[in-house]
Amino acid sequence: MSNELNRTKPTFTRAIVCKPAVNFAEGLTTQSLGVPSYEKALEQHAAYCAALRQCGLELIELPADVSYPDSTFVEDTAILTPDCAILTHPGALSRQGEVDRVRDVLIHYYSRIYAIQPPGTLDGGDICEAGRHFFIGVSQRTNEAGALQLAEILAGEGYTSELIDIRRTPGILHLKSGIAYLGDRQLAVIQALANHPAFREYELLELPLGEEYAANCVLVNEYVLVAAGYPRFQKILVEAGHRLILLEMSEYQKMDGGLSCLSLRF
Ligand code: CIR
């Protein structure tokens, strides 16, 4: 595949994205930030797609799917490594059918495709790839059975992994709502997770209090995509030498979504 194995920063050439459906506001959310505007969500999605193209990616665009109001959050349906794809079994019943369409795309790009089997559940948002190592969040969506299945699949492919239990970490739906790998052993991390022993060997960029939403930033080749409106974290990223693309995410935030959720990069 396109990622280079011997670099700690992955190189991506493609991404799968899916436009929000007209009933996007009927998706799941734990936020009380109001009802998202569909028009604005479409605009923000278009800007997101343009940013991925600016990073050099070719986009594979799935049409909006009203059967699954959360289907714009494609990241939750698969884990993509340089060597293989792993289809998830999402923790929310209403989202389990989203996987089929993504599998139909991935079969054209991957010769080895695994799948998480029930009773295991797993959402892609809980999986943080850090070079050859994976952090696997155990959350309200990803259960231990799903996490252990993924760890075994990854071990068989030569990757290491460890489980991070976030069930008692307030305010985050998925592990990647609270951490992001920024290459070269650097992690963005919310303060509630900063002392976790799993992150001891990493350089941590801590999210300023009140700016936790921006933790879900995404390294895509030479750029870091970051939510607009978080100036203190933006400064931390710039001082760490990152080139940023700022993106408005207000409508997705209302639906518990972040930047990483809107694409599957490979
Ligand atoms: C959900 O609750 O499943 C969607 N409304 C949001 C999913 C966000 N996905 C992610 O963080 N990877």
Side-chain angles (χ1 to χ4, degrees):
M1 298 307 304
S2 53
N3 295 11
E4 292 171 34
L5 285 177
N6 54 358
R7 291 183 52 180
T8 59
K9 286 188 186 186
T11 307
F12 300 115
T13 56
R14 297 186 178 94
I16 302 172
V17 292
C18 175
K19 263 207 183 104
V22 67
N23 59 349
F24 161 69
E26 291 166 22
L28 303 170
T29 188
T30 61
Q31 303 297 319
S32 349
L33 297 169
V35 179
S37 147
Y38 183 55
E39 291 310 312
K40 253 187 170 180
L42 285 177
E43 276 168 31
Q44 293 178 355
H45 198 266
Y48 180 84
C49 291
L52 291 179
R53 289 195 183 95
Q54 184 181 338
C55 297
L57 305 197
E58 174 200 331
L59 298 191
I60 301 159
E61 298 180 70
L62 297 176
D65 186 353
V66 289
S67 316
Y68 298 102
D70 278 312
S71 54
T72 190
F73 301 115
V74 280
E75 176 185 62
D76 292 317
T77 59
I79 315 305
L80 303 182
T81 80
D83 313 295
C84 67
I86 300 119
L87 301 169
T88 67
H89 186 60
L93 198 61
S94 67
R95 301 200 57 193
Q96 289 174 352
E98 292 175 27
V99 176
D100 294 351
R101 262 191 342 162
V102 173
R103 179 188 44 228
D104 292 346
V105 173
L106 292 175
I107 52 175
H108 299 291
Y109 297 95
Y110 283 93
S111 54
R112 286 203 302 293
I113 301 186
Y114 301 89
I116 300 298
Q117 304 294 339
T121 62
L122 188 129
D123 279 15
D126 278 315
I127 314 308
C128 179
E129 180 185 356
R132 301 289 301 175
H133 189 67
F134 283 75
F135 299 111
I136 305 176
V138 176
S139 68
Q140 301 305 325
R141 297 289 177 85
T142 296
N143 64 17
E144 277 185 42
L148 292 171
Q149 280 181 43
L150 178 63
E152 198 178 325
I153 293 166
L154 290 172
E157 291 282 340
Y159 294 94
T160 55
S161 67
E162 66 195 293
L163 272 49
I164 312 278
D165 190 343
I166 60 157
R167 286 172 293 189
R168 275 179 291 279
T169 307
I172 55 172
L173 176 66
H174 289 122
L175 177 63
K176 276 192 296 194
S177 318
I179 69 168
Y181 185 61
L182 295 173
D184 297 328
R185 300 195 69 77
Q186 188 182 69
L187 279 172
V189 61
I190 57 169
Q191 294 186 13
L193 290 173
N195 291 324
H196 196 290
F199 308 139
R200 208 176 284 139
E201 304 292 316
Y202 290 79
E203 179 198 348
L204 301 185
L205 302 184
E206 284 192 35
L207 270 291
L209 285 177
E211 296 204 354
E212 288 80 0
Y213 177 73
N216 184 261
C217 52
V218 195
L219 173 71
V220 188
N221 302 340
E222 304 306 317
Y223 294 94
V224 175
L225 311 188
V226 59
Y230 301 92
R232 287 174 291 156
F233 184 55
Q234 198 180 312
K235 187 161 176 271
I236 290 170
L237 287 171
V238 169
E239 280 168 4
H242 293 291
R243 291 171 78 185
L244 309 185
I245 301 179
L246 302 179
L247 290 164
E248 294 293 341
M249 285 294 290
S250 59
E251 306 317 290
Y252 297 95
Q253 185 177 12
K254 290 173 185 172
M255 301 307 294
D256 264 336
L259 285 163
S260 71
C261 336
L262 291 179
S263 63
L264 274 166
R265 303 152 300 277
F266 62 110

